[in-house]
Amino acid sequence: MSATLTGLSRPTDLSFEDRLAVATQLAVRLLEAGLIRADRFQDAPHDIATYGEITKDGEELGRDLARYEAWQSGEAVCAALDDYGSMLAERLEAVQARWAFDNDIRQRFRIGDRVVWPKVLGQDNSGIVTGIEPGARYSVMHDRAAASGSPLRHLVNFEDCRAEGEPAPRRRTPTDSLPGKILAAASAWLTVEAMHFTAAIHLILP
């Protein structure tokens, strides 16, 4: 998870359950293509989810499966396994888009709008939105890239962008999404508990 300007945490990795669901889709493809035996299919999703990564290509995954799980990872199997990284990336984009929707993070800018987004340290980055990307992100051409003619584009989260001159938003906390009545009840409960504690101290002390 990555902290953002909003104070919320964008998911940056998939749960094992998500990885296993994607691996099951791939294992079905392998079975239908005759690349794994039916008796191997039962364990194949778990094997793929355990050793596969977004950044790992089919040959790397095939080698790991052959080494640790005794797979017969020939050329055709490795070529099929090569899809797993991109499938994971698509699943993560869907999870991030759902997270953005659930947290009321919407697209605020259109193609051609100028935006700024923070650096880790120092002055904000600035540039022009050139596209809307999966996972609730903008494709942004940095001003330096525009000046130099570079084709480089930055993928910037919706929640990290703001208009030029717009102050950085207050960092949100998990309690921001709670209804007012719940917050009021919690505050009243804490007040009562503090009163009980004070009364107890007075009884104990001489």
Side-chain angles (χ1 to χ4, degrees):
M1 306 288 275
S2 64
T4 68
L5 281 178
T6 62
L8 301 172
S9 294
R10 168 181 281 259
T12 56
D13 200 2
L14 292 171
S15 67
F16 188 78
E17 289 73 18
D18 279 321
R19 295 160 61 87
L20 187 60
V22 175
T24 300
Q25 297 174 18
L26 182 56
V28 169
R29 293 185 195 176
L30 292 168
L31 181 64
E32 292 176 343
L35 296 176
I36 57 173
R37 303 187 311 269
D39 61 336
R40 166 68 72 181
F41 176 74
Q42 181 177 355
D43 296 325
H46 189 276
D47 292 347
I48 295 170
T50 299
Y51 299 102
E53 300 288 347
I54 288 180
T55 57
K56 191 176 287 187
D57 64 24
E59 288 189 7
E60 292 176 290
L61 178 53
R63 284 198 300 269
D64 286 345
L65 291 173
R67 181 180 303 148
Y68 301 114
E69 301 296 342
W71 277 51
Q72 299 299 315
S73 299
E75 183 177 344
V77 171
C78 289
L81 291 173
D82 204 41
D83 290 337
Y84 188 58
S86 60
M87 292 170 72
L88 287 178
E90 291 175 3
R91 183 66 166 245
L92 180 57
E93 287 170 351
V95 168
Q96 291 175 333
R98 182 65 192 183
W99 169 87
F101 179 84
D102 289 345
N103 287 283
D104 199 30
I105 294 170
R106 303 287 189 265
Q107 175 190 333
R108 297 178 53 209
F109 304 103
R110 297 176 296 179
I111 294 174
D113 287 347
R114 287 193 59 78
V115 294
V116 296
W117 69 100
K119 292 181 180 179
V120 175
L121 293 172
Q123 188 176 2
D124 284 337
N125 294 292
S126 60
I128 296 175
V129 175
T130 59
I132 311 302
E133 304 296 335
R137 288 187 169 99
Y138 300 106
S139 174
V140 184
M141 178 172 59
H142 197 287
D143 287 342
R144 287 197 303 269
S148 66
S150 169
L152 179 65
R153 299 294 182 268
H154 293 262
L155 287 178
V156 186
N157 300 334
F158 281 180
E159 65 272 17
D160 291 335
C161 281
R162 65 185 193 277
E164 282 190 312
E166 179 184 356
R170 181 183 68 85
R171 293 184 64 87
R172 294 177 61 181
T173 66
T175 58
D176 287 346
S177 59
L178 293 176
K181 289 184 178 179
I182 294 179
L183 289 175
S187 177
W189 179 81
L190 289 172
T191 300
V192 171
E193 288 298 307
M195 293 172 62
H196 287 167
F197 177 79
T198 302
I201 291 296
H202 288 164
L203 289 175
I204 293 172
L205 296 177

